[in-house]
Amino acid sequence: MMKRIVLSFLILLVVVSACKEEKPKSPVVLSLSSFHELVHPAYLINPDSIRQYVRVNLSNANDTMAWDSAMVSYYAADSAALFWMKDGVGQYADSLLYWLENSHRHGLNPALFNVSDIRTDLERFRSLQLHEDETINHLLARLEYGLTSSYLFYTCGLKYGFISPVQLLNNQEEDVKKKNDTEKQKEPYPIPLKKCSKEFALEALASLGQNPFAAFRQAQPTSPFYLSMQKELVRLDSIGEAEFEEIPLIGDTLLKVGERHRIIPLIAGRLMQTGELKQQVSGDTLTSVLLEAVNEFRLTNRLSTDNSIGTYTIRYLNRPLAYYKDHLLINLERARWQYKSEKGSKYVIGNIAAFMLQAFNEEVDSILEMRICCGSVRNKTPLLYSKIYYMELNPYWNVPQNIIRKEIIPSYRRDTTYFTRNRMKVYDKNGNRVNPHDIKWAKYTAGVPFTVKQDNKEGNSLGRIIFRFPNPYAVYLHDTPSRWAFNRSNRAVSHGCVRLERALDFAFFLLEKPDELLEDRIRIAMDIAPKSDEGKKLNRSEAYRELKHYSLKEAIPLFLDYQTMYLAADGNLSYCEDIYKYDDPLLEALNKLNHK
């Protein structure tokens, strides 16, 4: 009988290699003298005892996470399989440790997952180094508990994120938006998110039981955005801890190709380190090759390309490598968050930090991409989830009270032609039109008992079309006559609404299916020539009634989000400015999580 126990334990300790990709460490082979220890009761393996000790570990943990509850439920059963005993605590454990030890690829510290302690216990088990008064079952229970809890923490975190933005960021903003004279607090991250649940954790345990290697691979995020950031993080890590030599600012000087300056070698050295400059450039003359590398750097930082180099660009070049790594860590975490509301096959995501909007139609695998203008730092565009259900053509603009007080009244007092030039009319509380010259505007420093409405069509601040969706902030997406702002890198210029660069194309995207006649009716309303033969007939008909609004047959999900990295439709990844300063609280939480 004892020989059978010894033989079983020897089989348990057989060296099993993990898959080539995951490069686990090999177990230590026992010496012959070690086998005599196996007859000692402390070395006899008892699965029931292991399960019992795991339960004790769980009761002592006092954790309240979803995966803790799942583990309690799973190990409560007397028949619960021990995940890591199946192969003698061999390749499955080594494979998991491989993934955990490489969690830095996700911007995480492997210490989060107790890798060192688990590795130590694993080596002690393989070399039969038990502590005094410790049995092999104690050690195996600690390994079972440690490996399983780390697996679930890792899997749940990669699926749903390690930081809760709601708890972290809410109530951090002091800016207040006024609507109908009632103050409403803006929340920086009010978009509902999914959370790791007990059900998900139990499913992860089921996957672990079926095929551990597949479970580890399936835990990895697969979105193109996430993978692009991981690739960029690997690239930056390959540079090491390089420090860039400070490039002196040059005031108002603009350097052009062929001109000489002492900072040229410093610029070349900086871009050689980070890879934009592919070949060595000697001397202090700005060459076309170096300017091309500078423009590549500009695009990566969402700056406009140019034929010269000045102080503005040098300030960006002087940013340390840590700035870019922090951006990646922050946005890898954001990319792990999952929207609670389903996107469906057709949805819209506006990235406020990037000043870009992408409208996705997965049925035809297309992305409509355009520049947007968002709220200024003082009038932030709120983050939100809603559904676009309605478009209105040639809208009137009912000017909000805070804009009347803060902008229109001061403008009118400087220029009494303001209302006429901007085609604005004033009405009293009964809806009667009032001559603005008869009003003593100076006495209204708080509430204004008048409304101001701007005429529709040409010159209206909302442009020729507006897209409405329910939200408590009175914001919407709309066209604009102010096209100049789309050429700026920083497009935080609005009062909170989102201005669209390609409003007409966006209207067509929202339609259930292509409809030439309906598209032409929209064009005609916007004073754009129709394209179809039927549309041209409408334009000539005296009986034709212009389209004023259109309700979508199916509302389209809209997410106004904030990410300081941006993956363009062409696959290029770029860094965005943290215009609203939402990154710092998240970076602080991540550094705390990673024990930095």
Side-chain angles (χ1 to χ4, degrees), residues 89-146:
V89 197
Q91 57 181 347
Y92 297 158
D94 284 322
S95 182
L96 175 61
L97 287 173
Y98 165 82
W99 289 106
L100 298 182
E101 287 169 340
N102 283 277
S103 58
H104 58 84
R105 297 176 182 174
H106 299 281
L108 302 169
N109 184 347
L112 270 177
F113 310 103
N114 300 315
V115 171
S116 180
D117 290 344
I118 293 172
R119 179 67 74 186
T120 298
D121 280 345
L122 192 58
E123 295 303 328
R124 287 181 52 236
F125 167 70
R126 287 170 174 168
S127 60
L128 292 180
Q129 299 297 315
L130 297 182
H131 293 313
E132 188 177 354
D133 298 328
E134 181 184 47
T135 69
I136 198 72
N137 294 316
H138 283 104
L139 182 56
L140 287 172
R142 194 159 60 247
L143 279 167
E144 180 76 16
Y145 171 79

Side-chain angles (χ1 to χ4, degrees), residues 188-303:
Y189 208 91
I191 302 176
L193 298 176
K194 292 180 181 178
K195 297 179 181 179
C196 184
S197 64
K198 179 180 177 180
E199 291 69 28
F200 173 81
L202 287 171
E203 289 174 5
L205 289 178
S207 297
L208 179 64
Q210 293 168 6
N211 186 332
F213 300 134
F216 305 151
R217 288 192 295 271
Q218 289 167 5
Q220 307 306 307
T222 58
S223 77
F225 182 42
Y226 196 95
L227 295 178
S228 294
M229 288 193 289
Q230 280 191 301
K231 183 179 178 181
E232 175 70 354
L233 185 58
V234 169
R235 187 183 75 83
L236 294 186
D237 283 342
S238 70
I239 299 173
E241 300 299 324
E243 293 187 4
F244 307 134
E245 186 173 350
E246 186 83 8
I247 304 171
L249 304 182
I250 56 176
D252 296 332
T253 301
L254 293 176
L255 300 176
K256 297 190 175 183
V257 172
E259 295 181 348
R260 301 177 62 186
H261 200 283
R262 61 188 177 88
I263 69 167
I264 295 300
L266 296 177
I267 294 175
R270 161 69 174 79
L271 297 177
M272 279 290 289
Q273 281 182 285
T274 49
E276 291 87 358
L277 185 60
K278 307 298 190 296
Q279 63 188 67
Q280 190 70 44
V281 174
S282 59
D284 59 0
T285 301
L286 178 58
T287 65
S288 58
V289 172
L290 181 55
L291 180 61
E292 184 179 342
V294 170
N295 279 329
E296 182 180 335
F297 169 84
R298 283 169 168 153
L299 291 175
T300 302
N301 287 271
R302 304 200 60 77
L303 301 174

